[in-house]
Amino acid sequence: MDGKGRAVRLETVPRRIVSMAPATTEIVCALGAQDRLVGVTRYCAFPESVKQKRIVGGGYDPDYERIVALKPDLIILSHMADTRFARQFERLGLRTLILHEEGLSHVAEDIALLGKVLDAEYAAQRETTRLKTSLDTRAGILQARSRRTPRVLLLYRADNFLAAGKGSFSGDVLKLAGGENMADKAGVPWPQLNREYVLAGDPEIICIVREGFSGPIRPPQSAGDALRQWRTDPVFSRLSAVKKNRVYQLDARLFNYPGPRLD
């Protein structure tokens, strides 16, 4: 069963794989199966050597013609991909595997699933054990250092307050880092919050995830534009995070790779 609960039957171990997400590509490589990758997305950049693989579009705009030409025996899709993509691939006679829903706990499940499919279960066990040990160690260090848990608002859109909530991978990372996710009470992974909700929650720290960076992943930095705008807003100027200049910009790539590099 794959992450969508679909029964996936493979007669043989896949030897020609197309990966439709960066995290999927990283897992395949971590399991020692990089040589089986015949196609990756334009966003797959790690390890460096995968940049030499054939580019087959993106997770939401696959190049079907190019993928068919590669004659893959398995296409691995992220949980974010609509099942219509899987149906289209299968209409073309191609096998698909969809990974689990987002969330930190599902990363180990995806590694185990691909380990089983790729006949690399020992490598998968090694990776999940290493990852769990590393994350547990980091969480312990953070807990020892922190005297209290600050209220944090993690936004993906500052203009319409699209937030990472309970059950989202980004929300889980925030919790692991020692923050209280203010959007959890919305009860869904990606809530669009209103002004009243934000004011009532009064975040002590606001982090705004920004796309489009290139090169090395950037450390957090002050989100000057948003901070200046909110200082003049009659509602948001009252927030603790704004008063104390604790509004930060985060590189989106910190949250884009739910795979072996989590630690």
Side-chain angles (χ1 to χ4, degrees):
M1 304 290 281
D2 71 1
K4 291 289 186 181
R6 305 179 314 147
V8 179
R9 295 181 176 83
L10 300 170
E11 288 75 21
T12 60
V13 176
R15 295 296 174 188
R16 297 183 62 80
I17 301 166
V18 167
S19 167
M20 297 305 299
T24 302
T25 297
E26 293 189 20
I27 294 174
V28 171
C29 293
L31 297 182
Q34 181 175 340
D35 60 326
R36 301 189 223 171
L37 282 170
V38 294
V40 298
T41 74
R42 67 175 70 91
Y43 307 109
C44 297
F46 186 88
E48 185 75 19
S49 52
V50 302
K51 294 180 181 179
Q52 306 303 317
K53 302 289 184 179
R54 190 72 178 271
I55 303 299
V56 295
Y60 297 105
D61 60 340
D63 187 328
Y64 292 107
E65 184 176 353
R66 183 170 292 182
I67 292 170
V68 170
L70 290 173
K71 299 180 179 179
D73 45 24
L74 184 67
I75 299 171
I76 306 174
L77 299 163
S78 153
H79 75 280
M80 299 286 285
D82 194 295
T83 52
R84 62 182 173 178
F85 292 121
R87 290 195 297 270
Q88 178 61 24
F89 282 126
E90 287 162 3
R91 280 194 288 268
L92 294 169
L94 302 173
R95 292 290 178 84
T96 63
L97 182 81
I98 303 177
L99 299 188
H100 293 87
E101 295 295 329
E102 67 177 303
L104 190 58
S105 64
H106 291 308
V107 175
E109 292 180 45
D110 285 337
I111 294 173
L113 174 62
L114 289 180
K116 183 177 181 179
V117 168
L118 302 178
D119 193 25
E121 292 179 90
Y122 175 79
Q125 181 62 51
R126 180 194 63 215
E127 281 299 312
T128 54
T129 300
R130 180 193 62 78
L131 193 57
K132 183 180 186 305
T133 300
S134 179
L135 293 179
D136 286 348
T137 299
R138 287 176 180 270
I141 292 171
L142 286 169
Q143 289 172 5
R145 288 178 178 175
S146 302
R147 295 183 179 179
R148 57 183 300 275
T149 303
R151 297 185 307 279
V152 183
L153 180 59
L154 181 59
L155 296 175
Y156 270 70
R157 287 284 300 274
D159 56 345
N160 66 1
F161 288 92
L162 177 66
K166 188 174 184 177
S168 68
F169 173 71
S170 302
D172 286 350
V173 171
L174 170 58
K175 183 178 179 180
L176 182 70
E180 175 190 344
N181 190 350
M182 207 192 81
D184 274 359
K185 293 180 181 178
V188 293
W190 296 101
Q192 187 169 330
L193 307 177
N194 56 38
R195 294 165 70 89
E196 291 76 15
Y197 184 104
V198 176
L199 183 59
D202 189 25
E204 299 168 90
I205 299 172
I206 298 175
C207 297
I208 303 170
V209 177
R210 181 183 166 190
E211 302 277 358
F213 287 125
S214 59
I217 292 179
R218 301 191 183 192
Q221 53 191 284
S222 175
D225 291 344
L227 186 57
R228 284 189 292 272
Q229 179 180 349
W230 288 343
R231 279 176 183 156
T232 63
D233 186 286
V235 173
F236 296 117
S237 60
R238 296 154 60 186
L239 298 177
S240 297
V242 175
K243 289 178 181 178
K244 296 179 181 180
N245 299 325
R246 302 189 75 184
V247 180
Y248 303 100
Q249 178 176 268
L250 303 182
D251 190 324
R253 293 172 294 174
L254 290 168
F255 306 98
N256 285 350
Y257 310 112
R261 286 194 297 157
L262 270 175
D263 60 337

